[in-house]
Amino acid sequence: WWDSLPNDWQFFFNDKLLPNGRINNKPSEDALIYLKDIDTISCESYYRKEWNKDLKQSVYTYFINSIDGLQDLYNLKELKIVDCNLSQDSLENLCSLKSLVKLDLSQNKIAALPLNYRLGNIVELNISNNQFESLDFLINLPNLEVLYCYSNKLTGTRGLEKANLSR
């Protein structure tokens, strides 16, 4: 599993979740078992900011480019990937995360979630500060109770009528 994991996630896991891990080394078997059983991932503003002398401005290098590789984390219940420059193309394997209950994709560049994404266990979703124009995908979230969707490009409330939101 580790060897097929994209480098950006290997780096993140070693850097943020494994206290004694070296950034570029494969974790021990015990560490891999721990990672495979993890139920929460919180990745927020995981990038490097550098000053580019030629451009005379800050340049951001984002480390997390997609959720590829997380589909093997069968116990993952909460996923928070905030301010990591993700787009909808970065979410290709999202529907394979069957155990997800809470999903926070705020402060990215996501414009839509495909209507074929079945995320039946999601109870709380945060898509604030993105580029969503529609909430049509909510039909695929039958257990959704809490939705945060402010600061998007929404043109209406279509999709909300199918949602079972408590707030």
Side-chain angles (χ1 to χ4, degrees):
W1 166 74
W2 181 264
D3 294 331
S4 65
L5 196 63
N7 289 340
D8 52 350
W9 281 109
Q10 288 182 9
F11 186 89
F12 174 80
F13 287 145
N14 274 331
D15 185 32
K16 299 295 182 186
L17 299 180
L18 300 174
N20 297 319
R22 288 204 163 93
I23 299 298
N24 297 320
N25 288 359
K26 182 176 181 176
S28 69
E29 286 303 314
D30 287 341
L32 288 174
I33 290 169
Y34 164 77
L35 287 176
K36 290 280 286 193
D37 198 38
I38 200 161
D39 66 355
T40 301
I41 293 176
S42 182
C43 177
E44 190 166 350
S45 303
Y46 198 57
Y47 57 81
R48 180 179 64 235
K49 179 180 174 183
E50 296 175 329
W51 182 256
N52 184 307
K53 294 176 186 175
D54 297 331
L55 296 175
K56 296 182 180 171
Q57 66 183 26
S58 293
V59 175
Y60 295 86
T61 302
Y62 290 88
F63 296 121
I64 299 297
N65 299 311
S66 77
I67 63 164
D68 289 347
L70 299 185
Q71 64 271 14
D72 293 323
L73 302 178
Y74 302 113
N75 295 319
L76 191 61
K77 293 188 179 6
E78 295 184 28
L79 178 60
K80 181 178 184 177
I81 305 178
V82 174
D83 190 22
C84 287
N85 206 36
L86 293 181
S87 68
Q88 59 269 23
D89 298 334
S90 311
L91 305 174
E92 191 172 304
N93 292 315
L94 186 62
C95 58
S96 66
L97 300 174
K98 305 283 186 210
S99 297
L100 273 186
V101 175
K102 290 177 72 174
L103 178 61
D104 186 343
L105 298 171
S106 58
Q107 299 179 39
N108 283 291
K109 295 186 177 184
I110 304 166
L113 289 180
L115 288 173
N116 62 341
Y117 277 22
R118 304 274 183 240
L119 299 167
N121 291 326
I122 297 285
V123 173
E124 184 175 317
L125 176 65
N126 188 343
I127 56 168
S128 299
N129 294 298
N130 275 289
Q131 298 173 1
F132 283 89
E133 295 179 5
S134 165
L135 297 173
D136 289 341
F137 65 91
L138 291 178
I139 196 167
N140 295 321
L141 304 173
N143 293 314
L144 187 65
E145 295 176 5
V146 180
L147 173 66
Y148 301 97
C149 60
Y150 56 87
S151 296
N152 275 287
K153 297 179 178 181
L154 296 172
T155 56
T157 59
R158 198 173 92 194
L160 281 177
E161 70 278 358
K162 302 283 185 185
N164 181 32
L165 299 173
S166 62
R167 53 178 171 144

